[in-house]
Amino acid sequence: MSVTIGHPVPEFTAAATGDQQVSLSDYRGRQLVIYFYPKDSTPGCTTEGGDFRDRKADFADANTVILGVSRDGLRAHENFKAKQGFNFELISDKDEALCQLFDVIKLKKLYGKEHLGIERSTFLIDRDGNLAREWRKVKVKGHVEEVLEAARELNAAS
């Protein structure tokens, strides 16, 4: 089972930085951006996280919370978050439950070898818990601005 635009996202609870358990229901009444990235402390993931960090106030103005997700452990997440000054939480999805729910584990090629990994993807969930937008096979440059514009439009419409 995976998420579909216009339908409710199934409830989930996951371990996050700051010694937290986050659940979808925690964000009712607010919009939620969940972005999946392949690995902490890699160039594209650092850039993407930095772009979200730098626009966090704009997302907050659009009634939108940001969460990042990868399969890295909480210790790696805490280090990554601290080093980059991220002002939002990172979810550790070691068991891939969220990755599977959002269908972001894909066969990838690196240096001629195939492996299963996270396809960079972003999801915008409305204040009622329904999937409003999704971006798959994300290219980092300009992506956060596109997500922010969608969040603003969704917030204005509700």
Side-chain angles (χ1 to χ4, degrees), residues 88-142:
F88 53 86
E89 303 307 330
L90 300 176
I91 292 173
S92 173
D93 193 34
K94 279 181 159 305
D95 66 0
E96 298 180 0
L98 274 181
C99 290
Q100 296 200 6
L101 176 63
F102 286 89
D103 190 29
V104 298
I105 300 289
K106 303 293 180 189
L107 191 60
K108 300 167 82 174
K109 274 193 173 158
L110 185 64
Y111 306 118
K113 293 195 163 132
E114 291 186 338
H115 69 283
L116 288 173
I118 292 179
E119 178 181 81
R120 194 180 306 278
S121 307
T122 303
F123 301 87
L124 176 60
I125 300 169
D126 71 17
R127 59 183 71 192
D128 297 319
N130 298 305
L131 182 62
R133 291 277 308 271
E134 65 180 18
W135 294 263
R136 294 183 181 272
K137 297 183 183 173
V138 165
K139 301 285 181 248
V140 172
K141 189 171 170 47

Side-chain angles (χ1 to χ4, degrees), residues 33 35 43-59 66 80 84-88 120 122 138-148:
V33 165
Y35 80 94
C45 301
T46 299
T47 300
E48 184 179 26
D51 289 349
F52 275 113
R53 175 197 62 216
D54 295 346
R55 301 306 296 268
K56 181 174 188 262
D58 297 319
F59 278 99
I66 301 162
F80 186 40
Q84 301 304 325
F86 292 161
N87 46 12
F88 53 86
R120 194 180 306 278
T122 303
V138 165
K139 301 285 181 248
V140 172
K141 189 171 170 47
H143 175 62
V144 169
E145 285 71 25
E146 191 179 332
V147 176
L148 177 58

Side-chain angles (χ1 to χ4, degrees), residues 24-95:
L24 178 61
S25 55
D26 296 343
Y27 302 99
R28 291 283 175 184
R30 292 182 285 172
Q31 298 175 164
L32 180 61
V33 165
I34 300 180
Y35 80 94
F36 289 82
Y37 63 95
K39 187 138 184 63
D40 288 346
S41 302
T42 56
C45 301
T46 299
T47 300
E48 184 179 26
D51 289 349
F52 275 113
R53 175 197 62 216
D54 295 346
R55 301 306 296 268
K56 181 174 188 262
D58 297 319
F59 278 99
D61 289 345
N63 191 33
T64 306
V65 177
I66 301 162
L67 292 173
V69 182
S70 83
R71 298 183 300 182
D72 294 296
L74 285 173
R75 182 178 292 141
H77 274 353
E78 293 288 4
N79 292 339
F80 186 40
K81 181 182 171 189
K83 186 173 180 189
Q84 301 304 325
F86 292 161
N87 46 12
F88 53 86
E89 303 307 330
L90 300 176
I91 292 173
S92 173
D93 193 34
K94 279 181 159 305
D95 66 0

